[in-house]
Amino acid sequence: MSAHEKAGGRIFTLPFMILSVIAAIGVYFIIQRFVYGMGAVANINGGFPWGIWVVYDVVIGTGLACGGYALAFTVYVFNKGQYHPLVRPALLASLLGYALGGFGAFFDMGRWWQFYNIFLPWNWNFNSVMLEVGLCVALYIIVLIIEFSPAFLEKIGATGLLKALNKVLFLFIALGVVLPTMHQSSLGSLLIAMGYKVDPLWQTMQFQPLFAVVSALIMGFSIVIFEASLSHVRFGGKSETPLLGVLGKIAVGLMAVFVLVRLGVLAGQGKLGLMFAGDFSSAMFILEMALFIFPAFVLLSATKRHNGGALLIAAVSMLFAGSLYRFNAFLFTYNPGPGYSYFPSVPEIMVTLGIIAIEIMVYLIIVKTMPVLHRSEHA
Amino acid sequence: MKRRDFLKGSLQSGAAVLTGGALAPVTAEARPNLQPKEDAIGMLFDSTLCVGCKACVAKCKQVNDMPPVTESEIRAWDEARDLSGDTLNVIKTYKNGDGSTKDAENNGFAFEKRSCMHCVDPGCVSVCPVTALTQHEKTGIVSYNPDACIGCRNCMAGCPYNVPQFQYDKPFGQIMKCQMCNQKGVERIDNGLLTGCSEVCPTGATLFGTRKALLAEAKRRMELKPGDTYTYPRGDVSNPGSYHDKRVPTYKQHIWGETEAGGTNVMHISAISFDKLGLPPLGERSACSVAEGVQHSLYSYLALPAVLMAGLSYVVKRNTDEEGEGS
Ligand code: SF4
Ligand code: SF4
Ligand code: SF4
């Protein structure tokens, strides 16, 4: 018998209705994009080919969807079985985040009707980081579907299939660690070829993949802590706070690595002084560092680590830190040279908000109808 | 006890693989810049000769069958200010102070051509996932194949000069960039012609030729004494259509494209420093060569991912088996 249960409850609540309105507006503009071209909806231009659709929906969206990655690491690799209750909700959030990231990449593709060209081996350019990202993300979405499928198989009672799947599941769990390690680091490598356009405080060249993968893990752990504390409030059930505390401890280690190595690399490249330049880039850099360092200090204290509220605040700060790192590198301080600037248009923002709304709606529906959340002891 | 040791071991080996993966790109030698091709063809733009007539812009539109860009009611000339899905070649104006003196940095003006530089080590080719951008083996011309392109626009980000332009205004747009008049259906170079812009340039400001011959010509001009008279060729540097005599300006001792990010086949010379003319801050190293070095050190033969996969499968299998019926 499964240790998971569906949360139940009404689906069409008021928040759900509000989300569906936002989703509808987003879908409306996505249709506009296909009918009239990207320029009719988005403010991207010759110097800024990637706007919030790429940078938020794909680069940051998949980072925030690294909960499954972070937990797979903890639970299966380091054999911390007691985190099991968190795995399914995290996998679901990862699956949705990646699926919508993939969808975002699709409607942002200028020549979307030929998207399959990237899957044809004779087209492959092995020098291209983008090739690795594209193929690896596509593969990982399939792996996530397989990893999450036990919830669905339990629901329909396909015990035979479930047993067979369980025998080979370890392979997919391993892939679920290998693939994100690969493409999350590659997301950082994308920045290398952009050279001088990436602000010196973020252009660390060979170190890009390292910072990208560590930021992915930080975002992954923080989203798990965030979601678990939230859905505890929302759906009740057993509090996972002690477990979350340990995850927080791992996150502290990761943040220490991120901040120290980052400062070390900048010092090594002779660019440390730029953080005191007093310009926009230096302000963003200091804000970003503060967002990394603040939660590290909160989580260092054992009492705060086991306090739901403090955990939540720390998690939110970490989410912002990781997202801001990627936003800064790809967009906020990105400078293709004189004559170009970018600020997203309202329709462009509505598309991104619509995607987020859809993600939350699907999450709520699945959690309420399928065995995803951990069975509470006194239900 | 045993289990503890095992755990410790797996933790250590996991950490080792990850650290290895993190350090591989840092310690690996990136590949060197690509080298200029023996018979590469290109162009030399001499800003001091350009009078801003934009004959080259009009000819480019004609060759490539593109509409003029107009801002005002006077539809007499092309008013494109920058490269776009409708413009592959553009003349930009430098102006300082009262803009009275040609080729003076202060209180002066000058013209600068902007079009694909046909890089020796092209970032656009390196980053394209589907090989839609390619560099010709002999000529070094960088061309585009819309049938392969998925429109990811990484080429735009990976080009140091912001050259590739996507047609954002079309529902079924494509990337547009100068292909040195040698794309399918045009093939001017293959047919022994010059590029359209160098053919029509009245002053020889845009000169056609092999990279070698153009570089030699540029170096010759660097050596000239300001104020002397020099006989400037028009058209093809190795076989000029005509010549004209002109006073030699005070050239900056810098041939843009000789070495920048591996060099370019379209080179520029000028009397005004290139950062003022809007050329980017590039070192000698091409950024894409570093990116490729990182990528290949992590993914050559998929060796590192394979080791990681093997190790993790083993550890995960063992750990899930131990959990066994317990969960
Ligand atoms: S045709 Fe020659 S002189 Fe006229 S704008 Fe073009 S480069 Fe300058
Ligand atoms: S200038 Fe840009 S588009 Fe032209 S070859 Fe170089 S990288 Fe490619
Ligand atoms: S937009 Fe097209 S040509 Fe440019 S990198 Fe992407 S697939 Fe290649």
Side-chain angles (χ1 to χ4, degrees), chain B residues 116-119 122-124 142 159-161 163-164 177:
Chain B
C116 175
M117 305 292 276
H118 293 276
C119 300
C124 61
V142 176
C159 167
Y161 302 96
V163 165
K177 76 176 277 299

Side-chain angles (χ1 to χ4, degrees), chain A residues 76 108 114 123 127 196-197, chain B residues 127 131 149 153 159-160 296 319:
Chain A
Y76 298 106
D108 186 80
Q114 315 196 124
N123 284 331
N127 293 331
Y196 72 91
K197 298 182 187 179
Chain B
V127 299
T131 328
C149 172
R153 307 189 300 288
C159 167
H296 290 303
N319 287 352

Side-chain angles (χ1 to χ4, degrees), chain B residues 165-212:
Chain B
Q165 295 289 323
F166 193 80
Q167 297 171 315
Y168 293 119
D169 53 342
K170 298 199 171 125
F172 299 95
Q174 66 168 64
I175 289 286
M176 298 300 287
K177 76 176 277 299
C178 157
Q179 304 179 69
M180 281 247 242
C181 294
N182 211 32
Q183 61 271 35
K184 257 199 212 98
V186 176
E187 288 135 344
R188 289 176 61 99
I189 311 302
D190 287 352
N191 289 321
L193 298 171
L194 328 180
T195 51
C197 52
S198 42
E199 183 186 84
V200 298
C201 179
T203 64
T206 302
L207 204 56
F208 178 82
T210 63
R211 184 177 196 271
K212 263 196 193 144

Side-chain angles (χ1 to χ4, degrees), chain A residues 68 75 90 98 111 158 162 165 168 183 284 295 314 328 353-354 358 379:
Chain A
V75 176
Y98 267 95
R111 292 172 74 74
L162 201 58
L165 180 62
V168 290
H183 64 244
M284 290 317 262
N328 279 337
L353 291 181
I358 292 172

Side-chain angles (χ1 to χ4, degrees), chain A residues 348-366:
Chain A
E348 204 175 349
I349 295 172
M350 287 317 297
V351 168
T352 289
L353 291 181
I355 295 285
I356 298 171
I358 292 172
E359 198 172 329
I360 301 175
M361 285 159 67
V362 178
Y363 183 87
L364 290 175
I365 294 174
I366 294 185

Side-chain angles (χ1 to χ4, degrees), chain B residues 128-130 132-133 144 149-155 175:
Chain B
C128 177
V130 291
L133 287 154
Y144 168 71
C149 172
I150 56 171
C152 66
R153 307 189 300 288
N154 201 355
C155 50
I175 289 286

Side-chain angles (χ1 to χ4, degrees), chain A residues 23 45 68 88 93 145 166 186 233 235 257 266 274 281-282 328 376:
Chain A
N45 54 54
R88 263 192 201 175
I145 293 173
N166 271 332
S186 289
V233 175
F235 298 111
V257 168
L266 287 178
L274 290 175
S281 298
S282 72
N328 279 337
S376 59

